[in-house]
Amino acid sequence: MTNETIHTVALVGTGLIGGSLGLVLRARRSDLHIVAYDPNAGPEAVHRGAAHHSATSLRAAVHEADVVVLGTPVRFLPGLLGDIAPHLKPGALVTDVGSVKAPLVAHAADVLPTANPFVGGHPMAGAERGGIAHADAFLFENATWVLCPPQDVAEVEVAERYPALIDLVEATGARVLVLDAKRHDRIAALVSHVPQLVAVLLMTLAAESNADDDAFVRLAAGGFRDMTRIASSPFDLWRDILVANEGPVLDAMARLADALQAMRYDLAGTDLAALAQRFDEARTVRNTIPKDTKGFLAPLADVYVYAEDRPGFLLRLVQTLYEGGLSIKDIELLKIREGTGGAFRFGFATAPDADRAVAAFTEAGYTAYRL
């Protein structure tokens, strides 16, 4: 497949990921015709500019497509592969944006025609809120987009076999990483799926403790708040992922349990040298994580502003940011009591935006800072 052979891309599912993909492809690949199929959000995708038109049936969406992107929740993907199989034109390539790859790659080999390869996809990007209403053409900028080839295709062969798909992904601003599907799922279990469970567990423990002493949640700021940010993710999203990747997740949980027990023994035995070594190793490895790429949930750069308890104060802060051309991604009121001051936390997409916000607030006479 070459770039010249890609004329039509079908987006089956136009939520946050599918809608964002449509927006960026329309902006950066004007040679493409984007078709959306989503009974709930297809017309809205067209309205938002994420697709040229909304198909009225699955067949109508895919039968002329050169690339079909499945953007539905994980539990619907196996069924969709079977549903689209009879309607694909020879040579059309199928991919997806789900978080679990091995079961789907294996299933695709069973149900898709041999003329229609399935290359699993997983863009490592997301947001706090889903749906086409929150689609963003810049969602994939500097994100890692994993591609998992069919079982009979080696990782090193992907660039040669599917150059058009790679060009398509790179047009979104993402960086392609090719991984075997099983390898992807083992990694995802440890770096994404288990951390989600740990965040939920930490918040559960804090909530249980808070029932006896309400100081727990009041002190759950700083590092604890950052560590548990993903605990706000909805279970409806994670249910399918955890079930589909059950084996690797259970293995990773077992490794975590062993590591926690070993650390507990170090502490109980006052083996501070062993604990120091763990801290050193953790710091060394963490410093190797790329700082300019996104993960499943893009980090925010926070700015704190002293808040006066008087009417209209927040409005004036927001007006200051508006006049500075700054977009707020998150906002929270911290440590406020009746009749006293507190602090607003503003979240921004990038560190430079946060620095500009501090400068704008300071120039306007407010006390603002970054941690």
Side-chain angles (χ1 to χ4, degrees):
M1 180 186 292
T2 64
N3 272 342
E4 289 71 28
T5 62
I6 297 184
H7 302 295
T8 302
V9 175
L11 302 177
V12 180
T14 52
L16 174 70
I17 301 297
S20 297
L21 179 58
L23 287 174
V24 68
L25 290 181
R26 288 205 62 188
R28 299 182 181 179
R29 288 289 301 271
S30 59
D31 57 311
L32 298 176
H33 183 72
I34 311 296
V35 181
Y37 176 69
D38 189 321
N40 298 316
E44 179 63 16
V46 175
H47 177 72
R48 286 218 53 202
H52 290 90
H53 81 272
S54 175
T56 57
S57 70
L58 190 58
R59 178 191 178 282
V62 307
H63 80 289
E64 291 295 331
D66 301 298
V67 175
V68 177
V69 182
L70 305 180
T72 68
V74 171
R75 66 180 178 276
F76 298 121
L77 294 175
L80 276 175
L81 286 173
D83 292 341
I84 67 174
H87 309 302
L88 296 170
K89 72 177 186 180
L93 186 147
V94 183
T95 187
D96 78 309
V97 295
S99 299
V100 183
K101 299 270 69 82
L104 201 61
V105 168
H107 185 65
D110 293 333
V111 301
L112 291 184
T114 56
N116 300 111
F118 176 81
V119 180
H122 182 196
M124 306 283 282
E128 290 88 348
R129 295 175 289 182
I132 184 64
H134 301 106
D136 181 357
F138 294 99
L139 183 68
F140 309 112
E141 197 72 32
N142 293 324
T144 297
W145 194 305
V146 181
L147 292 178
C148 299
Q151 294 170 321
D152 60 347
V153 176
E155 294 177 17
V156 295
E157 298 175 359
V158 170
E160 181 179 352
R161 288 217 190 187
Y162 313 112
L165 177 62
I166 290 178
D167 287 345
L168 200 68
V169 170
E170 291 180 340
T172 70
R175 306 173 185 182
V176 173
L177 174 64
V178 178
L179 292 175
D180 170 79
K182 292 182 179 179
R183 183 183 177 197
H184 165 276
D185 289 356
R186 288 196 303 270
I187 296 172
L190 186 61
V191 304
S192 173
H193 304 166
V194 167
Q196 174 65 41
L197 296 175
V198 170
V200 170
L201 182 58
L202 285 172
M203 283 309 310
T204 300
L205 291 175
E208 291 173 351
S209 301
N210 198 69
D212 297 323
D213 184 346
D214 63 6
F216 273 88
V217 170
R218 283 188 289 159
L219 292 178
F224 187 86
R225 187 179 187 281
D226 291 340
M227 286 180 62
T228 57
R229 180 182 171 206
I230 55 176
S232 299
S233 299
F235 180 65
D236 284 347
L237 169 68
W238 281 96
R239 180 204 301 113
D240 302 340
I241 295 171
L242 296 172
V243 170
N245 204 30
E246 178 183 1
V249 169
L250 290 176
D251 289 344
M253 290 179 72
R255 291 178 60 193
L256 176 63
D258 290 343
L260 280 172
Q261 188 61 54
M263 182 175 283
R264 185 171 182 270
Y265 287 146
D266 290 342
L267 184 58
T270 321
D271 191 348
L272 299 184
L275 282 174
Q277 183 177 354
R278 294 182 191 278
F279 272 66
D280 290 341
E281 291 175 351
R283 180 174 59 254
T284 299
V285 174
R286 191 181 188 282
N287 287 340
T288 67
I289 298 176
K291 297 179 176 63
D292 59 345
T293 58
K294 298 177 182 177
F296 290 90
L297 193 61
L300 297 180
D302 290 334
V303 170
Y304 298 86
V305 185
Y306 173 73
E308 298 177 22
D309 186 19
R310 53 189 174 88
F313 188 81
L314 176 59
L315 177 61
R316 288 188 286 275
L317 292 180
V318 173
Q319 181 69 25
T320 299
L321 296 175
Y322 172 77
E323 292 173 353
L326 291 159
S327 177
I328 304 168
K329 297 298 183 183
D330 192 21
I331 185 170
E332 181 182 14
L333 178 60
L334 306 171
K335 300 179 296 183
I336 190 73
R337 296 194 308 274
E338 187 69 29
T340 68
F344 281 107
R345 181 187 63 82
F346 292 92
F348 297 90
T350 66
D353 280 353
D355 291 337
R356 288 173 53 207
V358 170
F361 283 135
T362 302
E363 184 178 351
Y366 302 109
T367 301
Y369 60 93
R370 296 185 61 196
L371 295 179

